[in-house]
Amino acid sequence: MRTLFASVLSVICIASVNYGYTQTAAADAPYRNPKLSADARAEDLLKRMTLEEKATMLSGSSWMESAPIERLGIPPIHMADGPLGVRSWMGSSAITNSANNPVNIESTSFPSGIAMAAAWNPALVEREGKAIAEEVKALGRDMILGPTVNINRQPLWGRNFEGYGEDPYLASRLGVAYIRGVQGEGVIPSVKHFDANNEEFERHRINAVIDERALHEIYLPAFKAAVQEAGVWTVMSAYNKLNGTYCAENDELLNKILKHEFGFKGFVISDWGSTYSTAPTVNAGMDLEMPGGAPLKAMLARPQTILSGNNGGWLEAGKVIAEVKAGHITETTLDDNVRRILRVIFLSGIFDHPHASGGLVDTPEQRAVALQGATEGIVLLKNERRLLPIEAARVRSIAVIGPNAAVARTGGGGSSLVRPKQATSPLDGIRSRAAKDQIAVSYALGVGMEGEDPVQDSPEAREKARDEAIAAASKADVAVVIVGRYFKNESEGFDVKTMYLPTGQDALIEAVEKVNPHTVVVLNTGDPVTMAAWLDATPALLDMWYGGQEGGAALASILFGDANPSGKLPVTLPKRFEDSPAAANYPGRDLTVHYAEGIYVGYRYFDTKNIEPAFPFGFGESYTTFAYSGLKVTPHVSGNQPVEVSLQVRNSGARAGAEVVEVYVHDDHAKIDRPVHELKDFARVELKPGESKTIALMLDRAAFSYWNPTTKAWQADPGTFEVQVGASSRDIRLRAHVVLEQ
């Protein structure tokens, strides 16, 4: 009898009551078979679900978890903030273990997205995605909320540091790389924020008005690449409205473009508090609302990001069921929502192999990725009289000065801020490296960070700090002034007030440069800043962005020449905010911002309109030099076949280094207005002194195309195009022509 009972249990299992409905599921049900496809398993499981169970899956069960269906063995998706590492929330962990106890998070703080973009190294970004996914799994989580691929439209967006800059092609390549790294580990990424989240000002209410061509050429390509090239599993919608409709209930955006035109098969997840209705949201293609209707306490703990009257809960089961019964949501639509979530649960492997906490985080290998990213992302903007690198033969003392010198400013604020167990400040990095050459290092604050410490902000304290900095600088062979912002004045939730550095920092740079002609200025910020007051007098300038926990060590390696700077700007640095193409249409009036500049974003505007920036897109100097030669375009006349662009790059200097070769396409015969040129490919190449390598890049027909709003399709006009190869958008070294046939 016991044997018979056991055999019955092996066939009939998981019987329970859910919403008063009793149902059994066979242990050998097809959805439990890992040998079947994710689509087949999802379809089988969907047929076994009640209406109540389906509706339950459309909203989170807690702040960072989707709803489980225990009767059928459907696990929750455990989420974690990103995209720059796994973080705790509001100073206390939002990550818990299986016993629901908080997990102490000391994960790796990786460089900001803009710093990784400055490395122009997709392979490295893929390694970063892999490392972050490893830590996600080690902490028992299943999903990382990243990458951010929104375009840097204007210099004041509070989240510019999270993304990959101003160019849609560069953002696409790096977004795809990050996603592949994450999904390769069976962790779910969420590419965000779909779409046109380019300012934090009134982000819950602002209406971004964008013409169809700009939308397809500038603001959609990174998401399209994420879907069609990386097969991304989830897409996160944005808070804002797009052309009059909230992104979360925008049928044109979610259903027609994302799911039908792009072919997206994963699920759409809301940003936290970015839903505003029930039936319109579900019908538009939103599949999962986070955090859902239950955890209002968690929502209220973060009031600065939640619009009054929008505390979530629009897609909680009761509201969804009521709309289904009223005929406002069809069961076919509901099935599509749930099917997409189930498919990702199977694809990621978490149905069969749940991630268990207890693994290693912040390992030497993961820190090595962070260090390489921080190092390769540093951009040398100026180096007169070869002040850098610092060499012991001519430098015996260094004064390290500034509000960002003794503190590791790892990242901007908001959901991406990671607080690591340890982080190297610039001062610590410089001291450690200088000790090897017995170079003396002094330190002076110079000026307190505006808004950080009221005591340091007093007039008396500022005057004393500046006097100490001037004294230190006047006695040193070299002064290194490290300025910028920090997570409380550059963050998610609000935009930066001005392109100027915080109060007192410009004056500090000027004062130091007056007493020490060998001054190195280091920018430690995620946004462009105005440099007019001191740039001409500055012999050496570095942009280190937010370098994560290894930023200080990376900076020291560049300053002392242990690493050769190879970063290139992923964003144009304007001389002033008024020069930005979006300046006249920011932040918008009456809660509406018109993207009147259209496709002329970043270098497309500066180069086409011939407006001189402080530093152009793609620019970055090196301690060595590189020569380009032998450009060939094959075939010279092309139909639909790809065009190969090949050239030789030679390190013509005395140091090993890396060069980023940038390929732009110029079209002067189009039937529609186009920028003077557009980035269409790039390659990073490592070269020893005197070494040459042949670089081969491919341009498909899409590289010559533009979006035609009349035909609502991509179009390449037959005729002659110029292929431009250069070291920046303003430094074109080689040119060749290709004829595109009908």
Side-chain angles (χ1 to χ4, degrees), residues 346-389:
F346 286 123
L347 275 176
S348 63
I350 64 173
F351 183 92
D352 305 301
H353 305 287
H355 298 143
S357 60
L360 297 176
V361 297
D362 198 32
T363 65
E365 293 78 13
Q366 291 157 352
R367 290 195 295 271
V369 173
L371 177 60
Q372 184 179 346
T375 305
E376 292 187 2
I378 294 175
V379 183
L380 177 63
L381 295 173
K382 196 174 180 183
N383 193 24
E384 293 180 352
R385 303 185 301 276
R386 297 186 179 181
L387 178 58
L388 294 176

Side-chain angles (χ1 to χ4, degrees), residues 213 600 636 638 665-678 701 703-706 708 715-724 736-742:
R213 188 175 169 208
Y600 287 97
H636 175 65
S638 174
V665 170
H666 166 68
D667 177 5
D668 62 359
H669 68 275
K671 299 175 182 177
I672 195 169
D673 184 42
R674 300 191 71 175
V676 66
H677 56 192
E678 298 170 276
R701 197 171 183 89
F704 303 95
S705 301
Y706 60 87
N708 188 326
Q715 178 174 320
D717 294 334
T720 301
F721 292 80
E722 184 177 70
V723 176
Q724 306 172 346
H737 291 90
V738 60
V739 178
L740 203 65
E741 294 184 325
Q742 183 67 42

Side-chain angles (χ1 to χ4, degrees), residues 39-366:
D39 291 298
R41 298 176 76 183
E43 201 62 46
D44 178 71
L45 179 51
L46 184 65
K47 294 175 182 177
R48 301 171 187 273
M49 298 178 70
T50 66
L51 173 63
E52 291 82 359
E53 288 168 339
K54 293 175 185 177
T56 297
M57 292 198 68
L58 268 59
S59 64
S61 63
S62 67
W63 181 253
M64 280 283 176
E65 292 185 2
S66 69
I69 306 296
E70 295 181 6
R71 182 183 70 84
L72 295 168
I74 301 174
I77 300 173
H78 303 282
M79 305 171 192
D81 260 329
L84 311 181
V86 186
R87 70 179 291 267
S88 57
W89 178 68
M90 296 291 285
S92 61
S93 177
I95 310 269
T96 58
N97 59 21
S98 57
N100 206 35
N101 295 318
V103 174
N104 184 28
I105 301 176
E106 295 177 339
S107 57
T108 308
S109 173
F110 291 87
S112 60
I114 197 70
M116 297 299 293
W120 293 61
N121 190 342
L124 178 59
V125 173
E126 184 168 345
R127 287 175 56 206
E128 178 203 22
K130 180 179 186 296
I132 290 173
E134 290 170 348
E135 297 196 356
V136 170
K137 291 191 296 184
L139 292 164
R141 314 306 287 180
D142 310 309
M143 181 172 174
I144 188 75
L145 303 181
T148 299
V149 298
N150 293 111
I151 295 299
N152 184 329
R153 172 182 177 250
Q154 49 87 17
L156 303 183
W157 183 37
R159 301 181 83 164
N160 274 329
F161 67 90
E162 274 188 42
Y164 296 131
E166 71 188 24
D167 183 74
Y169 182 81
L170 179 60
S172 297
R173 301 280 52 81
L174 301 182
V176 166
Y178 184 104
I179 292 163
R180 285 174 174 167
V182 171
Q183 291 186 176
E185 291 295 310
V187 169
I188 305 167
S190 186
V191 63
K192 60 186 185 183
H193 310 81
F194 195 63
D195 191 32
N197 178 193
N198 309 108
E199 62 185 66
E200 294 299 278
F201 174 80
E202 290 284 4
R203 65 178 180 174
H204 284 276
R205 299 194 292 168
I206 198 74
N207 176 28
V209 178
I210 310 176
D211 69 73
E212 185 178 338
R213 188 175 169 208
L215 189 65
H216 281 269
E217 292 191 22
I218 305 296
Y219 301 102
L220 289 176
F223 292 97
K224 181 179 180 180
V227 171
Q228 296 185 344
E229 296 182 47
V232 70
W233 290 335
T234 77
V235 172
M236 182 186 291
S237 73
Y239 286 108
N240 52 280
K241 295 178 182 178
L242 175 62
N243 293 330
T245 305
Y246 277 114
C247 290
E249 53 193 53
N250 196 313
D251 178 72
E252 176 73 21
L253 184 65
L254 300 184
N255 276 331
K256 294 180 182 177
I257 294 177
L258 180 64
K259 293 184 175 180
H260 295 150
E261 181 183 327
F262 293 174
F264 178 59
K265 295 183 178 180
F267 67 83
V268 179
I269 183 173
S270 75
D271 205 338
W272 274 232
S274 74
T275 48
Y276 308 90
S277 65
T278 302
T281 298
V282 174
N283 289 330
M286 176 63 65
D287 303 303
L288 173 60
E289 177 195 39
M290 292 299 294
L296 293 183
K297 290 183 179 179
M299 297 288 283
L300 294 174
R302 201 183 184 194
Q304 72 273 22
T305 66
I306 305 302
L307 179 66
S308 177
N310 176 37
N311 288 327
W314 292 102
L315 302 193
E316 64 182 2
K319 292 180 180 178
V320 172
I321 291 170
E323 295 286 17
V324 171
K325 291 182 177 179
H328 300 147
I329 299 173
T330 67
E331 287 201 55
T332 299
T333 297
L334 181 59
D335 283 353
D336 183 67
N337 299 135
V338 177
R339 181 185 293 111
R340 290 172 176 274
I341 299 172
L342 294 177
R343 182 177 180 272
V344 171
I345 288 174
F346 286 123
L347 275 176
S348 63
I350 64 173
F351 183 92
D352 305 301
H353 305 287
H355 298 143
S357 60
L360 297 176
V361 297
D362 198 32
T363 65
E365 293 78 13
Q366 291 157 352

